Amino acid sequence: MIQILDSTLREGEQTPGVYFTPPTKLAIAQFLDQIGVDIIEAGNPAVDREIALAISKISKAGLKAKIGAHSLCRIDHVNRALDCGVDFLGIFFSVSQRRLHQDYNISLEEAIAKIVEVISYAREQKQDLLIRYTPEDTVRSPIENVVAAASAAVRAGVNIISIADTTGYTMPFHPQRSIYNCVKTLKEELAKENLHPQIAVHCHNDRGLALANALDAYRGGAEIIDTSVMGLGERAGIVDLAELLINLTEMIEEKTNWELNYLNDLYKFVSHHTHISIPPHCPVVGKNAFTHYAGVHVKAVSKDEMLYQSIDPEILGIKSSVALGMQSGHTAVEIAVKQIGRGEIAENRDLVDKILQEIKAIAKRGTPINIEKELPEIIERCCMNILPIPKEIYTAAVGVKTF
Ligand code: HCA
Ligand code: CU
């Protein structure tokens, strides 16, 4: 069964301006654990003492998920991670030509010697530690370098090799640049040496293809997929947790055990603590993700929701809704009046018609109509038969413009 590694607390904190305090981190970890994430990458303890403290706290919280730390390929950093009591350690070191020559200024052999030294050290310290080695920028590194570093790392004691698309370079169906091929080739090459580590993938979203690439990697045999809430992370971020789970739920043949009904609360929580709002049209968790608007749509979904939905919102523990505005038809008004407890209005065709006309006039202001707050006022005006719309409402609706 595919495993999910969520990195909201590590990669997500690499979003400029984002910082989660230790209690917030713990709460996010608890949400992720309830959802059924397998590994929670909780941070890099070398960044700050408070981050190390948060990782220690989460490690001791008795969660089902494995709790992990991210670490440079350095023994002193590995020690800091182990001091946090983690079950999982992710060590990264690139073996791309560019990086070796332009940044590290060492040969491949020297790089591999360092990787082996640090991994062997980590393995000696804790026998049951789950260790991942990531040849950062894997997909732009020569495959021979990746295979050489990965096989040395597995022999030194790692359990997981992660293929990192650090710059969002891969594309599904591309003959040279698909992560599908990368997963397959790496598995085959390691199998030739009788090495069978778990293969993880870490897909960045620079081209908007992170989710597509993650699914492509799954098809290629990846066993662990990295995610973050709201797709947070460096630059354009990584694979969004909710979007991945929704898709995998339907791709995987066996029954999955993810508790998707916690997603909405988790996203609201993370949005609040990052001060980053969720766009209304965001898939799965956006305010409009299950809201129907145009007349034809609302009429159809009033008979069968799935005529305009391919995801049943019930699996997220939420219900679909209707919006009112310029695009609305009579059915939306009928549904909305019932929603605010004024179902009798739905029987009065003339009144529904008047309400609809007023809704359309107000809609010209270009912001959503709040059904709970504004519809009762609209009804009242229509019942009092004070059409056309009062001047102040009309002015608010269309701004200062006069026609
Ligand atoms: C980073 C880069 C990284 C590492 C991934 C990993 C990437 O921010 O350190 O260690 O598995 O995208 O390559 O996130
Ligand atoms: Cu990354």
Side-chain angles (χ1 to χ4, degrees):
M1 179 65 134
I2 188 87
Q3 296 197 317
I4 305 297
L5 180 151
D6 188 89
S7 190
T8 308
L9 303 180
R10 195 280 295 174
E11 176 83 53
E13 256 197 3
Q14 291 179 224
T15 309
V18 168
Y19 179 69
F20 302 113
T21 62
T24 303
K25 280 201 174 79
L26 180 60
I28 293 172
Q30 283 162 336
F31 265 120
L32 293 167
D33 195 50
Q34 281 172 316
I35 288 168
V37 159
D38 301 277
I39 303 167
I40 297 171
E41 198 169 53
N44 180 341
V47 174
D48 190 80
R49 278 184 52 198
E50 198 174 70
I51 292 182
L53 178 82
I55 301 171
S56 302
K57 278 204 163 145
I58 298 168
S59 296
K60 292 193 194 90
L63 303 182
K64 296 187 291 298
K66 292 208 180 301
I67 307 305
H70 201 225
S71 169
L72 285 180
C73 190
R74 280 173 47 170
I75 287 182
D76 56 337
H77 283 212
V78 166
N79 281 332
R80 290 202 208 183
L82 293 173
D83 287 346
C84 299
V86 290
D87 321 294
F88 168 98
L89 177 65
I91 294 170
F92 61 104
F93 198 86
S94 181
V95 287
S96 86
Q97 292 301 95
R98 265 195 198 175
R99 208 57 197 272
L100 291 176
H101 298 144
Q102 294 177 1
D103 189 8
Y104 307 153
N105 207 12
I106 56 172
S107 68
L108 176 65
E109 291 66 34
E110 286 167 314
I112 293 179
K114 193 172 163 60
I115 293 160
V116 167
E117 183 205 0
V118 175
I119 289 168
S120 310
Y121 174 81
R123 173 54 68 224
E124 274 164 31
Q125 309 312 303
K126 201 170 173 195
Q127 289 308 304
D128 61 350
L129 184 68
L130 196 58
I131 310 178
R132 178 192 68 198
Y133 163 61
T134 307
E136 213 188 346
D137 207 0
T138 320
V139 297
R140 293 195 305 172
S141 307
I143 186 72
E144 320 77 75
N145 290 17
V146 171
V147 173
S151 73
V154 177
R155 286 180 220 280
V158 303
N159 316 83
I160 305 165
I161 298 291
S162 183
I163 296 177
D165 185 4
T166 307
T167 65
Y169 170 76
T170 58
M171 299 183 200
F173 312 114
H174 191 289
Q176 284 88 38
R177 280 166 61 172
S178 82
I179 203 159
Y180 170 87
N181 284 339
C182 194
V183 173
K184 269 202 139 17
T185 310
L186 182 59
K187 284 188 110 163
E188 281 162 15
E189 292 301 316
L190 292 176
K192 282 185 198 158
E193 299 181 39
N194 208 18
L195 302 173
H196 305 279
Q198 281 189 294
I199 300 295
V201 287
H202 178 90
C203 304
H204 272 268
N205 204 27
D206 298 66
R207 287 184 163 71
L209 290 173
L211 173 65
N213 286 324
L215 297 176
D216 205 27
Y218 169 69
R219 191 173 65 96
E223 289 132 329
I224 301 174
I225 299 178
D226 291 8
T227 62
S228 70
V229 174
M230 293 167 70
L232 294 171
E234 289 270 349
R235 307 182 310 283
I238 63 167
V239 178
D240 174 74
L241 173 70
E243 292 177 16
L244 182 73
L245 294 186
I246 277 287
N247 285 289
L248 284 178
T249 300
E250 290 177 25
M251 278 179 87
I252 295 174
E253 280 171 20
E254 313 103 84
K255 194 184 164 327
T256 54
N257 292 323
W258 297 310
E259 299 284 349
L260 304 180
N261 51 321
Y262 291 108
L263 282 171
N264 264 281
D265 287 345
L266 169 61
Y267 274 64
K268 279 190 196 127
F269 187 81
V270 171
S271 169
H272 176 77
H273 288 279
T274 53
H275 313 284
I276 298 174
S277 52
I278 299 171
H281 60 297
C282 182
V284 191
V285 294
K287 189 166 125 302
N288 294 348
F290 298 96
T291 299
H292 303 281
Y293 178 33
V296 173
H297 290 234
V298 173
K299 190 157 182 270
V301 299
S302 71
K303 295 172 184 137
D304 175 0
E305 267 186 32
M306 297 312 275
L307 288 170
Y308 276 108
Q309 281 171 188
S310 72
I311 301 169
D312 185 351
E314 231 175 73
I315 65 167
L316 295 157
I318 56 173
K319 290 200 183 327
S320 64
S321 60
V322 299
L324 292 180
M326 179 60 78
Q327 303 283 332
S328 296
H330 292 92
T331 313
V333 177
E334 286 161 21
I335 294 172
V337 293
K338 284 181 192 151
Q339 190 182 314
I340 61 162
R342 300 290 308 273
E344 78 286 357
I345 293 173
E347 310 300 322
N348 184 338
R349 183 73 188 189
D350 286 346
L351 187 51
V352 167
D353 212 39
K354 269 186 197 167
I355 293 170
L356 185 57
Q357 292 320 309
E358 179 133 356
I359 285 168
K360 282 171 178 272
I362 294 174
K364 289 184 182 167
R365 73 186 180 197
T367 57
I369 293 177
N370 181 326
I371 294 181
E372 303 298 325
K373 202 167 152 280
E374 293 180 85
L375 187 55
E377 294 161 11
I378 294 171
I379 293 171
E380 199 176 326
R381 277 197 303 278
C382 291
C383 288
M384 288 164 67
N385 212 4
I386 50 164
L387 282 175
I389 307 152
K391 194 166 168 283
E392 60 285 6
I393 300 215
Y394 188 78
T395 314
V398 297
V400 290
K401 278 183 264 167
T402 49
F403 296 92

